[in-house]
Amino acid sequence: MQIKSQKIRQSESFRDHINLVLENRGDDADDEWWDDAKAREELERLACAEDEYVSSSERLKITSERPMLLAVYQKDCKALFEQIGRQAAMIKADKGLHLLFFVRDMRSRIKLEQYFAGEGKQVINAGLQACGGKNRPLFQCTYILVQKYGNEEACLRDLKRYEILQMPPVSAYMNRETAWDSREEESLYARVLTADLFQLVELYNTIGDRLFRNNVRIGLNEMLGVDQSIRETLKTEPEHFWYKNNGITILAERDEFRLRSLDTLVLDRLAPEREPAFSVINGAQTITASARYFFETEFQYESSPAGSAERERLKAQLNKSKRAQVLVRVIYVPQEDPVNASGLAREISTALNRQKPVKIEDIAFTAPFVEKLAGYLERGLQTGQTRFRLIRRGEGGPRHRQMELISFARAALACAGKPAEARSQGANTLLKFHVKEDGTYEFQQKEVFADAWMKAEAENEEAVFKRLYGAVWFTDQLAQKYEGVKKGWIEETPEVRAVIRNGKWYLTAAVVQILNGFTRSKAGEWAGQPDFSGFSASVEETEEKLTAGIRRFGRLVALFIKLDEGYGDLDSNLFKKNEAYNTLIKRLEDTFHSDRKGPSAADRDKTLQESRLEVYLQEFIQLFCEPVSLSKAEAAAALQPADSFGGMEDCIILRGMRLPAESMAEAMQKTVKYVLEQYPDVRNRLSGSIANWLSTPGTLHSPPGYFRGNTRKMTVDGVVYELGTFSNTETKLRQMRQLCRLAGVRENEIFWYQAGGKAPVFSW
């Protein structure tokens, strides 16, 4: 079991590193590629490789315009690049090739860089040419340290205690209007000190890139010649480094960091089974650039002839450079509120990295379209006309009534019926633009950045915004809620789980259309396109239906794909295209507008599975809007046994209406409420043994040991009733027969079915 846990931790660490690189290069699609079973297997092979191993973005199911080769280096450069060459011969790299190397320490990185600059690059070029690619493709290399450490202390030593400054504490709730004295026990505090730069380099070499897990710049290329400036200072005047560098900021997550002695500050005791309790949030570039300098110099020293003047010169240079010192701030963030702590860590990191390289989101925010939209939203939020504002990348704390531009684009695409693009496209594609003659930026993604908005006069802005973007906020919030409830589902079939893992934007786009009544514009350039002018749904009202909705949608799509073999395998690739969604949304719309009173000739000719699909379509719609009556043929199909697809959900039939029931207790609760509503006279006769398990609040009484759980409550005509459901199945069935007999329920009115069962487990 311990081995499995270690594999999971390693895989998650590799996954996080890869995602951060994708984010920083603009390929951060809203596509959880690791949810694909084959991708997870490949990720585990990569993360747990004990020898040289090479994978690719294709094998990891990562959607990207520029392909990636991901390589684990252990000790054999030649063997590694032979694998890279073979992989390069199978990919197209017309837009360049990104090489992501995972190494165990800085010495390995330097050795690998030296080999790549010589023989390695030739091997890769030969492979790419064999695939018909460019003779000289654009290479981008990223090196990530994935060091494995044991139980040891992470310390800063040789400090001068009298030079350490203890900063006064301040409130940890920067974005709350809270009185200081009520938050005094949850305060930020910090120590400021001077440390040897080489100690931080050694700390990086010990921990690896996990040291920078809260740093917004990790994975970005060296920019603006800063690296060269750092190297030059370390080489020629290390004594001036403290004065020329902004310093290092460390975020501590436990208040255990302390001065163990007069000259040692303990940051944490490292353990292989958990992340370090601290991270560098500002100064990652300083540390990595310095580490390259120190270990390159060491490599040159060890490669030089013994006893040579060059070897002595390099030794003296290295010793001199190690005298460089740097300003260090250690900030403690209290963890009493994990959500606030995580947001605060991100906020501090962002604030300290104002020099971060400009990305496409930053440029896009200056476009006339966004300036107009952001201004409208800001004014509307103050007057109550709109529900959110647009913010720049990295602005603000917790997302309360605010949305980044990339999130706006994804939600708008889902509203426009393009869930595949919302899932699979990164920032570089979603926010792609061209420069007009007047020097302004114009977006190419017209489903999101519609010309109609730019052309709208002030008096028409509200109408145009509602028509185009009236459901965007709801869509974004619903997609976030989906992420919170989609985990688990181990009781479902593999096909249903595949839908649940990958179908967030499919479901979100479908629910938005259902709640909008499939309303479309009837005239003008937007004729036939969704019209959200009257959209009024709130995510708060929809959230409570989401768990049931996800389950129903999973079963619906799984059966839908099974009945139409033209869509291929039910995996993550299905949801990166819109073909299946377009057909499914048409079926949902037809079902939404249908008003059948009973079975038709076509119903009788349907296969069992096709009839079951009709049931699933209607149940999904019914969950989110007004009930849709099932035809008798469809109700009968719902009672049939499960097929090879994996079965139907547990259900109950109440006077011909089929309702889902996820447990026997839920079946009992829904049936009891139905009886109390349909046979009101029985409410006055809830005495004797029935009162042991059904009564009004405060009067429920049970023999010792009979009922040991919380009651379920229901309201019938304004009266609250309590129901005890902890009894076993046999007792529940006996209680239901007792209630039906007392109420005079008619024959063949109530049925309970379990998934796959041919006969009801209860009937009356």
mmCIF file with all atom_site columns, all heavy atoms in Angstrom, residues 3 26 36 139 152 157 262 368 400 418 483 489 657 762:
data_model
loop_
_atom_site.group_PDB
_atom_site.id
_atom_site.type_symbol
_atom_site.label_atom_id
_atom_site.label_alt_id
_atom_site.label_comp_id
_atom_site.label_asym_id
_atom_site.label_entity_id
_atom_site.label_seq_id
_atom_site.pdbx_PDB_ins_code
_atom_site.Cartn_x
_atom_site.Cartn_y
_atom_site.Cartn_z
_atom_site.occupancy
_atom_site.B_iso_or_equiv
_atom_site.pdbx_formal_charge
_atom_site.auth_seq_id
_atom_site.auth_comp_id
_atom_site.auth_asym_id
_atom_site.auth_atom_id
_atom_site.pdbx_PDB_model_num
ATOM 1   N N   . ILE A 1 3   ? 3.827   1.541  -1.328  1.00 0.00 ? 3   ILE A N   1
ATOM 2   C CA  . ILE A 1 3   ? 4.411   1.713  -2.661  1.00 0.00 ? 3   ILE A CA  1
ATOM 3   C C   . ILE A 1 3   ? 3.427   2.426  -3.574  1.00 0.00 ? 3   ILE A C   1
ATOM 4   O O   . ILE A 1 3   ? 3.781   3.336  -4.314  1.00 0.00 ? 3   ILE A O   1
ATOM 5   C CB  . ILE A 1 3   ? 4.808   0.343  -3.236  1.00 0.00 ? 3   ILE A CB  1
ATOM 6   C CG1 . ILE A 1 3   ? 5.938   -0.267 -2.409  1.00 0.00 ? 3   ILE A CG1 1
ATOM 7   C CG2 . ILE A 1 3   ? 5.237   0.480  -4.680  1.00 0.00 ? 3   ILE A CG2 1
ATOM 8   C CD1 . ILE A 1 3   ? 6.339   -1.657 -2.842  1.00 0.00 ? 3   ILE A CD1 1
ATOM 9   N N   . GLY A 1 26  ? 0.908   29.368 -22.242 1.00 0.00 ? 26  GLY A N   1
ATOM 10  C CA  . GLY A 1 26  ? -0.371  29.717 -22.864 1.00 0.00 ? 26  GLY A CA  1
ATOM 11  C C   . GLY A 1 26  ? -1.152  28.547 -23.390 1.00 0.00 ? 26  GLY A C   1
ATOM 12  O O   . GLY A 1 26  ? -2.123  28.731 -24.125 1.00 0.00 ? 26  GLY A O   1
ATOM 13  N N   . ASP A 1 36  ? -7.804  10.864 -18.182 1.00 0.00 ? 36  ASP A N   1
ATOM 14  C CA  . ASP A 1 36  ? -7.857  9.765  -19.142 1.00 0.00 ? 36  ASP A CA  1
ATOM 15  C C   . ASP A 1 36  ? -7.042  8.588  -18.595 1.00 0.00 ? 36  ASP A C   1
ATOM 16  O O   . ASP A 1 36  ? -5.906  8.761  -18.136 1.00 0.00 ? 36  ASP A O   1
ATOM 17  C CB  . ASP A 1 36  ? -7.297  10.226 -20.488 1.00 0.00 ? 36  ASP A CB  1
ATOM 18  C CG  . ASP A 1 36  ? -7.386  9.145  -21.549 1.00 0.00 ? 36  ASP A CG  1
ATOM 19  O OD1 . ASP A 1 36  ? -6.455  8.298  -21.623 1.00 0.00 ? 36  ASP A OD1 1
ATOM 20  O OD2 . ASP A 1 36  ? -8.373  9.139  -22.289 1.00 0.00 ? 36  ASP A OD2 1
ATOM 21  N N   . PHE A 1 139 ? 13.825  25.097 -30.717 1.00 0.00 ? 139 PHE A N   1
ATOM 22  C CA  . PHE A 1 139 ? 13.802  24.294 -29.498 1.00 0.00 ? 139 PHE A CA  1
ATOM 23  C C   . PHE A 1 139 ? 13.531  25.184 -28.286 1.00 0.00 ? 139 PHE A C   1
ATOM 24  O O   . PHE A 1 139 ? 14.073  26.274 -28.178 1.00 0.00 ? 139 PHE A O   1
ATOM 25  C CB  . PHE A 1 139 ? 15.142  23.579 -29.278 1.00 0.00 ? 139 PHE A CB  1
ATOM 26  C CG  . PHE A 1 139 ? 15.394  22.443 -30.224 1.00 0.00 ? 139 PHE A CG  1
ATOM 27  C CD1 . PHE A 1 139 ? 16.494  22.459 -31.059 1.00 0.00 ? 139 PHE A CD1 1
ATOM 28  C CD2 . PHE A 1 139 ? 14.543  21.356 -30.270 1.00 0.00 ? 139 PHE A CD2 1
ATOM 29  C CE1 . PHE A 1 139 ? 16.739  21.415 -31.933 1.00 0.00 ? 139 PHE A CE1 1
ATOM 30  C CE2 . PHE A 1 139 ? 14.780  20.305 -31.133 1.00 0.00 ? 139 PHE A CE2 1
ATOM 31  C CZ  . PHE A 1 139 ? 15.880  20.333 -31.966 1.00 0.00 ? 139 PHE A CZ  1
ATOM 32  N N   . GLU A 1 152 ? 15.225  15.031 6.909   1.00 0.00 ? 152 GLU A N   1
ATOM 33  C CA  . GLU A 1 152 ? 16.335  15.908 7.261   1.00 0.00 ? 152 GLU A CA  1
ATOM 34  C C   . GLU A 1 152 ? 15.809  17.317 7.507   1.00 0.00 ? 152 GLU A C   1
ATOM 35  O O   . GLU A 1 152 ? 14.711  17.669 7.088   1.00 0.00 ? 152 GLU A O   1
ATOM 36  C CB  . GLU A 1 152 ? 17.373  15.930 6.135   1.00 0.00 ? 152 GLU A CB  1
ATOM 37  C CG  . GLU A 1 152 ? 16.798  16.296 4.772   1.00 0.00 ? 152 GLU A CG  1
ATOM 38  C CD  . GLU A 1 152 ? 17.803  16.113 3.652   1.00 0.00 ? 152 GLU A CD  1
ATOM 39  O OE1 . GLU A 1 152 ? 18.659  16.994 3.503   1.00 0.00 ? 152 GLU A OE1 1
ATOM 40  O OE2 . GLU A 1 152 ? 17.721  15.099 2.937   1.00 0.00 ? 152 GLU A OE2 1
ATOM 41  N N   . ARG A 1 157 ? 21.984  28.497 8.016   1.00 0.00 ? 157 ARG A N   1
ATOM 42  C CA  . ARG A 1 157 ? 22.998  28.474 9.073   1.00 0.00 ? 157 ARG A CA  1
ATOM 43  C C   . ARG A 1 157 ? 23.919  29.694 8.987   1.00 0.00 ? 157 ARG A C   1
ATOM 44  O O   . ARG A 1 157 ? 23.845  30.479 8.056   1.00 0.00 ? 157 ARG A O   1
ATOM 45  C CB  . ARG A 1 157 ? 23.820  27.193 8.991   1.00 0.00 ? 157 ARG A CB  1
ATOM 46  C CG  . ARG A 1 157 ? 23.009  25.910 9.201   1.00 0.00 ? 157 ARG A CG  1
ATOM 47  C CD  . ARG A 1 157 ? 23.898  24.685 9.139   1.00 0.00 ? 157 ARG A CD  1
ATOM 48  N NE  . ARG A 1 157 ? 23.159  23.463 9.427   1.00 0.00 ? 157 ARG A NE  1
ATOM 49  C CZ  . ARG A 1 157 ? 22.477  22.781 8.510   1.00 0.00 ? 157 ARG A CZ  1
ATOM 50  N NH1 . ARG A 1 157 ? 22.466  23.188 7.255   1.00 0.00 ? 157 ARG A NH1 1
ATOM 51  N NH2 . ARG A 1 157 ? 21.825  21.685 8.854   1.00 0.00 ? 157 ARG A NH2 1
ATOM 52  N N   . LEU A 1 262 ? 21.848  30.196 18.218  1.00 0.00 ? 262 LEU A N   1
ATOM 53  C CA  . LEU A 1 262 ? 22.192  31.588 17.952  1.00 0.00 ? 262 LEU A CA  1
ATOM 54  C C   . LEU A 1 262 ? 22.351  31.875 16.460  1.00 0.00 ? 262 LEU A C   1
ATOM 55  O O   . LEU A 1 262 ? 22.159  32.999 16.018  1.00 0.00 ? 262 LEU A O   1
ATOM 56  C CB  . LEU A 1 262 ? 23.482  31.949 18.696  1.00 0.00 ? 262 LEU A CB  1
ATOM 57  C CG  . LEU A 1 262 ? 23.375  32.022 20.221  1.00 0.00 ? 262 LEU A CG  1
ATOM 58  C CD1 . LEU A 1 262 ? 24.742  32.314 20.810  1.00 0.00 ? 262 LEU A CD1 1
ATOM 59  C CD2 . LEU A 1 262 ? 22.372  33.086 20.642  1.00 0.00 ? 262 LEU A CD2 1
ATOM 60  N N   . PRO A 1 368 ? -9.623  47.157 -27.352 1.00 0.00 ? 368 PRO A N   1
ATOM 61  C CA  . PRO A 1 368 ? -10.823 47.998 -27.221 1.00 0.00 ? 368 PRO A CA  1
ATOM 62  C C   . PRO A 1 368 ? -12.050 47.210 -26.799 1.00 0.00 ? 368 PRO A C   1
ATOM 63  O O   . PRO A 1 368 ? -12.869 47.703 -26.014 1.00 0.00 ? 368 PRO A O   1
ATOM 64  C CB  . PRO A 1 368 ? -10.985 48.587 -28.630 1.00 0.00 ? 368 PRO A CB  1
ATOM 65  C CG  . PRO A 1 368 ? -9.601  48.595 -29.197 1.00 0.00 ? 368 PRO A CG  1
ATOM 66  C CD  . PRO A 1 368 ? -8.933  47.375 -28.645 1.00 0.00 ? 368 PRO A CD  1
ATOM 67  N N   . HIS A 1 400 ? -14.836 36.465 -5.992  1.00 0.00 ? 400 HIS A N   1
ATOM 68  C CA  . HIS A 1 400 ? -16.174 36.881 -5.606  1.00 0.00 ? 400 HIS A CA  1
ATOM 69  C C   . HIS A 1 400 ? -16.633 37.950 -6.593  1.00 0.00 ? 400 HIS A C   1
ATOM 70  O O   . HIS A 1 400 ? -16.098 39.050 -6.622  1.00 0.00 ? 400 HIS A O   1
ATOM 71  C CB  . HIS A 1 400 ? -16.181 37.426 -4.174  1.00 0.00 ? 400 HIS A CB  1
ATOM 72  C CG  . HIS A 1 400 ? -17.509 37.943 -3.739  1.00 0.00 ? 400 HIS A CG  1
ATOM 73  N ND1 . HIS A 1 400 ? -18.606 37.109 -3.600  1.00 0.00 ? 400 HIS A ND1 1
ATOM 74  C CD2 . HIS A 1 400 ? -17.931 39.192 -3.440  1.00 0.00 ? 400 HIS A CD2 1
ATOM 75  C CE1 . HIS A 1 400 ? -19.635 37.839 -3.220  1.00 0.00 ? 400 HIS A CE1 1
ATOM 76  N NE2 . HIS A 1 400 ? -19.254 39.100 -3.113  1.00 0.00 ? 400 HIS A NE2 1
ATOM 77  N N   . LYS A 1 418 ? -20.202 25.684 -28.035 1.00 0.00 ? 418 LYS A N   1
ATOM 78  C CA  . LYS A 1 418 ? -18.867 25.206 -28.409 1.00 0.00 ? 418 LYS A CA  1
ATOM 79  C C   . LYS A 1 418 ? -18.143 24.651 -27.176 1.00 0.00 ? 418 LYS A C   1
ATOM 80  O O   . LYS A 1 418 ? -17.059 25.122 -26.803 1.00 0.00 ? 418 LYS A O   1
ATOM 81  C CB  . LYS A 1 418 ? -18.043 26.349 -29.011 1.00 0.00 ? 418 LYS A CB  1
ATOM 82  C CG  . LYS A 1 418 ? -18.674 27.030 -30.212 1.00 0.00 ? 418 LYS A CG  1
ATOM 83  C CD  . LYS A 1 418 ? -18.543 26.165 -31.457 1.00 0.00 ? 418 LYS A CD  1
ATOM 84  C CE  . LYS A 1 418 ? -19.040 26.917 -32.697 1.00 0.00 ? 418 LYS A CE  1
ATOM 85  N NZ  . LYS A 1 418 ? -18.880 26.113 -33.909 1.00 0.00 ? 418 LYS A NZ  1
ATOM 86  N N   . GLU A 1 483 ? -16.662 21.000 -10.823 1.00 0.00 ? 483 GLU A N   1
ATOM 87  C CA  . GLU A 1 483 ? -15.354 20.504 -10.397 1.00 0.00 ? 483 GLU A CA  1
ATOM 88  C C   . GLU A 1 483 ? -15.403 20.034 -8.949  1.00 0.00 ? 483 GLU A C   1
ATOM 89  O O   . GLU A 1 483 ? -14.711 19.082 -8.570  1.00 0.00 ? 483 GLU A O   1
ATOM 90  C CB  . GLU A 1 483 ? -14.296 21.604 -10.539 1.00 0.00 ? 483 GLU A CB  1
ATOM 91  C CG  . GLU A 1 483 ? -13.918 21.918 -11.968 1.00 0.00 ? 483 GLU A CG  1
ATOM 92  C CD  . GLU A 1 483 ? -13.166 20.776 -12.622 1.00 0.00 ? 483 GLU A CD  1
ATOM 93  O OE1 . GLU A 1 483 ? -12.575 19.945 -11.902 1.00 0.00 ? 483 GLU A OE1 1
ATOM 94  O OE2 . GLU A 1 483 ? -13.176 20.701 -13.858 1.00 0.00 ? 483 GLU A OE2 1
ATOM 95  N N   . TRP A 1 489 ? -17.594 8.627  -7.641  1.00 0.00 ? 489 TRP A N   1
ATOM 96  C CA  . TRP A 1 489 ? -18.489 7.896  -8.538  1.00 0.00 ? 489 TRP A CA  1
ATOM 97  C C   . TRP A 1 489 ? -17.989 6.478  -8.817  1.00 0.00 ? 489 TRP A C   1
ATOM 98  O O   . TRP A 1 489 ? -18.155 5.939  -9.899  1.00 0.00 ? 489 TRP A O   1
ATOM 99  C CB  . TRP A 1 489 ? -18.674 8.636  -9.867  1.00 0.00 ? 489 TRP A CB  1
ATOM 100 C CG  . TRP A 1 489 ? -19.039 10.063 -9.720  1.00 0.00 ? 489 TRP A CG  1
ATOM 101 C CD1 . TRP A 1 489 ? -18.180 11.117 -9.715  1.00 0.00 ? 489 TRP A CD1 1
ATOM 102 C CD2 . TRP A 1 489 ? -20.345 10.621 -9.522  1.00 0.00 ? 489 TRP A CD2 1
ATOM 103 N NE1 . TRP A 1 489 ? -18.865 12.293 -9.537  1.00 0.00 ? 489 TRP A NE1 1
ATOM 104 C CE2 . TRP A 1 489 ? -20.197 12.025 -9.425  1.00 0.00 ? 489 TRP A CE2 1
ATOM 105 C CE3 . TRP A 1 489 ? -21.613 10.066 -9.440  1.00 0.00 ? 489 TRP A CE3 1
ATOM 106 C CZ2 . TRP A 1 489 ? -21.276 12.864 -9.223  1.00 0.00 ? 489 TRP A CZ2 1
ATOM 107 C CZ3 . TRP A 1 489 ? -22.690 10.901 -9.249  1.00 0.00 ? 489 TRP A CZ3 1
ATOM 108 C CH2 . TRP A 1 489 ? -22.514 12.289 -9.138  1.00 0.00 ? 489 TRP A CH2 1
ATOM 109 N N   . MET A 1 657 ? -45.344 7.400  -12.461 1.00 0.00 ? 657 MET A N   1
ATOM 110 C CA  . MET A 1 657 ? -44.248 8.357  -12.610 1.00 0.00 ? 657 MET A CA  1
ATOM 111 C C   . MET A 1 657 ? -42.965 7.753  -12.031 1.00 0.00 ? 657 MET A C   1
ATOM 112 O O   . MET A 1 657 ? -42.925 7.365  -10.867 1.00 0.00 ? 657 MET A O   1
ATOM 113 C CB  . MET A 1 657 ? -44.563 9.668  -11.897 1.00 0.00 ? 657 MET A CB  1
ATOM 114 C CG  . MET A 1 657 ? -43.388 10.663 -11.896 1.00 0.00 ? 657 MET A CG  1
ATOM 115 S SD  . MET A 1 657 ? -42.851 11.129 -13.566 1.00 0.00 ? 657 MET A SD  1
ATOM 116 C CE  . MET A 1 657 ? -44.252 12.126 -14.071 1.00 0.00 ? 657 MET A CE  1
ATOM 117 N N   . PHE A 1 762 ? -40.245 -4.031 -3.855  1.00 0.00 ? 762 PHE A N   1
ATOM 118 C CA  . PHE A 1 762 ? -41.447 -3.703 -3.091  1.00 0.00 ? 762 PHE A CA  1
ATOM 119 C C   . PHE A 1 762 ? -42.541 -3.300 -4.068  1.00 0.00 ? 762 PHE A C   1
ATOM 120 O O   . PHE A 1 762 ? -42.283 -2.615 -5.066  1.00 0.00 ? 762 PHE A O   1
ATOM 121 C CB  . PHE A 1 762 ? -41.182 -2.542 -2.127  1.00 0.00 ? 762 PHE A CB  1
ATOM 122 C CG  . PHE A 1 762 ? -42.424 -2.041 -1.439  1.00 0.00 ? 762 PHE A CG  1
ATOM 123 C CD1 . PHE A 1 762 ? -42.964 -2.727 -0.364  1.00 0.00 ? 762 PHE A CD1 1
ATOM 124 C CD2 . PHE A 1 762 ? -43.073 -0.895 -1.881  1.00 0.00 ? 762 PHE A CD2 1
ATOM 125 C CE1 . PHE A 1 762 ? -44.111 -2.275 0.268   1.00 0.00 ? 762 PHE A CE1 1
ATOM 126 C CE2 . PHE A 1 762 ? -44.223 -0.435 -1.258  1.00 0.00 ? 762 PHE A CE2 1
ATOM 127 C CZ  . PHE A 1 762 ? -44.742 -1.123 -0.184  1.00 0.00 ? 762 PHE A CZ  1
#
